[in-house]
């Protein structure tokens, strides 16, 4: 019997393999929700029940969603009760299955990244399903008298619908935007009742140049290690929080205890030098009242701290979503410092420049998503210390040109007394505006009192 010799290019075949899925990630996400009921508020913005590959996982997540929507906890007891009352407990594997999910999770810290992974796999399965449906339609076309053109058009429509679900259209008609923009301009020019369009640094010479740190944009500030970057950023964060702006500080280098001690010294100035708070039996009787008042002042600030030394931009986003849910908004996000952020799993293995470029893009995206100012600190190249002119330039930002590309404002920090202890410029802290999309490049001088980690305006310039 004659067997036609089909060209391999003309044969449609599907390999016998499982569709894309992330079962272990599904288990960890569900365990994280049972472990930390507050985690559902972050996950629910990413995942739908149908995104889960395993049917029992879908039912468990559906239970958590329903409980959250009715403002009930999503812990082991409540989820078990909900499944039992809806006749689903046996179907998902019983109490042992839920207990094993809980025991498999020790923390909900990575839950956002894992939820994104599950969502990605679900989207790939949807693409495969659409492609298979198109293949079946094409195979049946001779029987249904459909033309190739009609099959293609139907497939294009289904792919377009799938794209709209995964990548919503971002195009906006200018006519629809103008009313909101005009209202924003009007509100920002309303005298004493004017709303903020940025986060002031609190230093009038600097703010008069850059207009503060703009909402929805990334500001980066670079300096050599020990120059005072963290202390300056903390000072800005305290000033912002003291004015009522919710501030989130991600301290990847220092512990929360160290940050709080620096804050207390700053608020207790000029009574409690910072170094005394890091020593044993160093405080005198006269220090305690100012320190107690500083504690009371600090406790009233809308200032949030995360001192996890290993963190991704996805985890930063998750923390900001939690703060937003509690406080309504986030105004200022400080990352100390950018090069210490862990790359996402899909970016690992890329070269370091690509990793930093991607991190900076994600920080800029966070600024836009939360309409907040993001202040990213950065280490400068060591070569700065070996040249005669040590004031920073844009080219000194280490490991990536992405700083200049992604940042709306670039600032460089410099202290003469950092290099020359005998200088007559002791205490002068230079802030150079290396790039600004909203102003010119210049240098502003501040006074730095290192004993208290406090920065002060110098005599006001005349403009």
């Amino acid at each position: 019997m004659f067997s036609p010799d089909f060209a391999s290019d003309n044969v449609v075949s599907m390999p016998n393999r499982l569709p894309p899925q992330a079962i272990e990630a599904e288990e960890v996400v569900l365990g994280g929700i049972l472990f930390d009921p507050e985690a559902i508020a972050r996950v629910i913005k990413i995942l739908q029940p149908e995104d889960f590959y395993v049917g029992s996982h879908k039912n468990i997540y559906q239970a958590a969603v329903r409980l959250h929507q009715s403002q009930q906890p999503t812990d082991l007891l409540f989820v078990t009760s909900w499944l039992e009352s809806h006749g689903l407990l046996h179907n998902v594997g019983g109490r042992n299955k839920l207990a094993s999910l809980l025991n498999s999770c020790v923390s909900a810290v990575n839950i956002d990244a894992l939820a994104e992974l599950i969502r990605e796999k679900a989207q790939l399965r949807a693409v495969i399903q659409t492609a298979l449906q198109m293949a079946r339609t094409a195979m049946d076309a001779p029987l249904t008298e459909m033309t190739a053109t009609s099959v293609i058009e139907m497939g294009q429509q289904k792919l377009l619908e799938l794209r709209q679900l995964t990548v919503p259209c971002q195009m906006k008609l200018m006519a629809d935007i103008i009313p909101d923009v005009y209202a924003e301009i009007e509100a920002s020019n309303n005298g004493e009742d004017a709303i903020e369009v940025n986060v002031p640094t609190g230093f009038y010479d600097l703010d008069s140049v850059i207009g503060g740190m703009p909402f929805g944009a990334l500001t980066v500030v670079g300096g050599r290690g020990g120059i005072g970057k963290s202390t300056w950023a903390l000072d800005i964060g305290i000033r912002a929080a003291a004015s009522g702006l919710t501030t989130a500080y991600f301290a990847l280098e220092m512990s929360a205890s160290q940050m709080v001690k620096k804050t207390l010294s700053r608020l207790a100035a000029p009574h409690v030098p910072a170094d005394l708070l890091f020593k044993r039996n160093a405080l005198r009787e006269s220090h305690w009242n100012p320190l107690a008042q500083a504690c009371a002042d600090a406790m009233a600030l809308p200032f949030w701290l995360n001192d996890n030394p290993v963190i991704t931009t996805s985890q930063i986003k998750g923390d900001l979503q939690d703060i937003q849910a509690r406080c309504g908004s986030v105004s200022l996000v400080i990352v100390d410092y950018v090069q210490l952020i862990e790359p996402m799993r899909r970016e690992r293995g890329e070269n370091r420049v690509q990793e930093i470029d991607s991190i900076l893009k994600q920080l800029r995206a966070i600024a836009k998503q939360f309409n907040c100012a993001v202040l990213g600190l950065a280490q400068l190249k060591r070569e700065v210390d070996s040249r005669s002119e040590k004031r920073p330039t844009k080219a000194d930002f280490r490991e990536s040109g992405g700083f200049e590309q992604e940042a709306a404002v670039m600032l460089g920090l410099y202290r003469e007394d950092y290099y020359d202890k005998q200088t007559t410029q002791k205490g002068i802290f230079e802030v150079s505006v290396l790039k600004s999309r909203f102003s010119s490049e210049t240098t502003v001088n501040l006074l730095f009192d290192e004993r208290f980690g406090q920065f002060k305006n110098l005599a006001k310039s005349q403009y």
Side-chain angles (χ1 to χ4, degrees):
M1 182 177 179
F2 173 72
S3 297
D5 182 17
F6 294 112
S8 59
D9 290 347
N10 292 332
V11 177
V12 178
S13 63
M14 292 296 294
N16 185 22
R17 53 190 293 192
L18 284 174
Q21 34 71 34
I23 296 176
E24 289 185 2
E26 292 182 10
E27 292 175 341
V28 174
V29 166
L30 293 175
I33 292 171
L34 297 172
F35 177 82
D36 179 9
E38 292 186 2
I40 186 67
R42 289 147 53 188
V43 177
I44 203 170
K45 298 175 182 178
I46 303 171
L47 290 177
Q48 299 296 322
E50 54 269 21
D51 291 332
F52 285 82
Y53 180 73
V54 179
S56 60
H57 293 170
K58 173 183 175 180
N59 289 332
I60 294 169
Y61 182 68
Q62 180 71 65
V65 169
R66 293 288 176 82
L67 287 168
H68 178 70
Q69 290 172 341
S70 60
Q71 298 183 332
Q72 298 182 73
T74 62
D75 58 21
L76 180 63
L77 178 63
F78 274 81
V79 171
T80 302
S81 176
W82 192 95
L83 290 168
E84 189 171 32
S85 65
H86 288 76
L88 296 171
L89 184 59
H90 176 73
N91 293 345
V92 304
R95 289 179 170 82
N96 289 340
K97 171 64 174 180
L98 295 173
S100 68
L101 291 174
L102 181 60
N103 292 335
S104 68
C105 180
V106 296
S107 169
V109 67
N110 292 321
I111 201 167
D112 305 86
L114 293 174
E116 294 282 3
L117 176 62
I118 295 169
R119 177 65 177 150
E120 173 73 13
K121 300 299 184 183
Q123 290 172 349
L124 288 173
R125 293 198 300 273
V127 171
I128 292 172
Q129 185 65 32
T130 300
L132 289 173
Q133 185 176 351
M134 289 175 61
R136 285 193 292 268
T137 302
M139 293 290 286
D140 293 340
L143 301 176
T144 59
E145 297 185 351
M146 290 185 68
T147 65
T149 299
S150 61
V151 172
I152 292 171
E153 289 176 349
M154 186 183 71
Q156 288 175 331
Q157 179 60 35
K158 290 186 177 297
L159 288 173
L160 179 60
E161 292 171 1
L162 184 60
R163 174 180 170 79
Q164 289 172 340
L165 288 174
T166 57
V167 186
C169 179
Q170 301 296 317
M171 296 297 292
K172 298 177 181 178
L173 187 64
M174 183 175 289
D176 294 334
I177 304 172
I178 287 176
D180 290 337
V181 173
Y182 185 86
E184 178 185 319
I185 295 171
E186 190 176 43
S188 64
N189 287 271
N190 195 23
E192 294 182 357
D193 297 324
I195 63 167
E196 290 286 358
V197 294
N198 51 34
V199 177
T201 65
F203 304 109
Y204 45 67
D205 279 347
L206 182 58
D207 286 334
S208 69
V209 176
I210 64 172
M213 296 168 289
F215 286 134
L218 172 64
T219 298
V220 295
V221 55
R224 292 292 295 127
I227 205 81
K229 293 188 304 296
S230 299
T231 305
W232 188 64
L234 180 61
D235 191 293
I236 289 175
I238 293 170
R239 289 169 182 265
S243 68
L245 299 176
T246 301
T247 300
Y249 199 117
F250 293 88
L252 285 76
E253 198 170 30
M254 286 193 289
S255 69
S257 173
Q258 292 170 330
M259 296 291 293
V260 169
K261 287 177 181 177
K262 283 177 168 285
T263 299
L264 294 179
S265 176
R266 161 69 175 77
L267 294 175
H271 305 291
V272 185
D275 65 310
L276 299 185
L277 299 178
F278 293 87
K279 296 178 180 178
R280 184 170 179 265
N281 294 327
L283 294 183
R284 299 192 301 270
E285 186 67 28
S286 60
H287 293 136
W288 289 105
N289 283 340
L291 183 60
Q293 183 59 53
C295 287
D297 293 341
M299 291 176 69
L301 297 176
F303 193 100
W304 298 74
L305 269 172
N306 183 329
D307 65 348
N308 185 354
V310 182
I311 197 168
T312 65
T313 52
S314 179
Q315 292 163 353
I316 290 174
K317 188 189 300 184
D319 282 355
L320 296 181
Q321 288 171 339
D322 283 347
I323 296 173
Q324 191 176 56
R326 298 185 189 190
C327 303
S329 65
V330 182
S331 295
L332 175 61
V333 176
I334 301 173
V335 179
D336 183 10
Y337 55 92
V338 170
Q339 288 103 326
L340 290 179
I341 294 177
E342 284 285 303
M344 300 289 284
R345 182 183 305 177
R346 62 179 177 271
E347 295 154 0
R348 292 172 189 162
E350 297 180 351
N351 65 53
R352 186 58 177 160
V353 172
Q354 291 173 322
E355 287 180 354
I356 296 296
D357 283 352
S358 180
I359 288 168
L360 289 165
K361 282 184 173 67
Q362 291 157 20
L363 289 177
R364 181 168 61 86
I366 286 172
K368 292 188 68 175
Q369 177 181 342
F370 292 90
N371 191 32
C372 64
V374 174
L375 178 62
L377 277 59
Q379 287 279 32
L380 298 184
K381 297 176 181 177
R382 292 187 179 91
E383 288 83 350
V384 173
D385 293 340
S386 61
R387 68 188 188 212
S388 58
E389 177 51 78
K390 296 178 173 56
R391 287 176 174 81
T393 68
K394 286 182 284 190
D396 294 326
F397 281 73
R398 196 166 72 191
E399 297 175 313
S400 173
F403 286 101
E404 184 174 359
Q405 180 177 337
E406 303 299 335
V409 179
M410 294 180 72
L411 305 174
L413 306 182
Y414 174 79
R415 284 166 47 204
E416 185 70 29
D417 58 7
Y418 175 80
Y419 296 100
D420 181 6
K421 302 303 181 184
Q422 306 303 318
T423 181
T424 58
Q425 297 294 304
K426 191 168 182 62
I428 300 300
F429 193 85
E430 296 184 17
V431 182
S432 296
V433 181
L434 304 176
K435 172 196 172 183
S436 175
R437 292 178 182 162
F438 318 107
S439 65
S440 59
E441 299 176 8
T442 188
T443 297
V444 171
N445 290 339
L446 306 175
L447 184 63
F448 178 37
D449 191 337
E450 195 168 2
R451 295 172 303 160
F452 306 102
Q454 187 178 38
F455 294 82
K456 300 176 183 178
N457 291 294
L458 290 174
K460 189 166 185 177
S461 303
Q462 299 297 318
Y463 292 100

